[in-house]
Amino acid sequence: ETACITDVLVRAGAEVTVASVEPELEVRMSRGLKIVADKHIDDCTEGVTWDAIACPGGMPGAERLCENTALVGLLKEQRKSGRVLA
């Protein structure tokens, strides 16, 4: 799902930042697809306002996302401010 979300947004002209919740930027997805993130999620929380945040689904990635306190805090702030979450 990460590849699909990223591809559609880039084709639509959006500036996309892919963030990793893993210690490394290069991550292998559940089906073997290798993704290289632009940043670590910790680098996305301070002094940045995001127009939208999209979280891919699928297991076990969804569990890793919900366990990451930096991401959870970012999502709560996004919702509180009324900006887009997907």
Side-chain angles (χ1 to χ4, degrees):
E1 292 186 14
T2 302
C4 293
I5 293 168
T6 303
D7 184 54
V8 168
L9 290 171
V10 168
R11 287 176 186 236
E15 183 180 333
V16 175
T17 300
V18 177
S20 175
V21 297
E22 299 296 327
E24 56 279 327
L25 293 180
E26 187 175 294
V27 181
R28 188 167 299 276
M29 302 290 128
S30 64
R31 303 286 184 246
L33 178 66
K34 193 184 316 180
I35 300 285
V36 179
D38 300 304
K39 298 180 176 196
H40 190 271
I41 192 66
D42 292 337
D43 298 326
C44 297
T45 59
E46 295 295 321
V48 181
T49 301
W50 301 99
D51 295 326
I53 298 176
C55 295
M59 296 302 273
E63 290 174 335
R64 291 187 179 120
L65 296 178
C66 73
E67 293 169 352
N68 186 278
T69 56
L71 177 60
V72 171
L74 198 57
L75 293 172
K76 286 179 179 178
E77 179 59 34
Q78 190 81 357
R79 177 178 296 276
K80 181 179 168 184
S81 67
R83 293 188 305 271
V84 176
L85 288 171

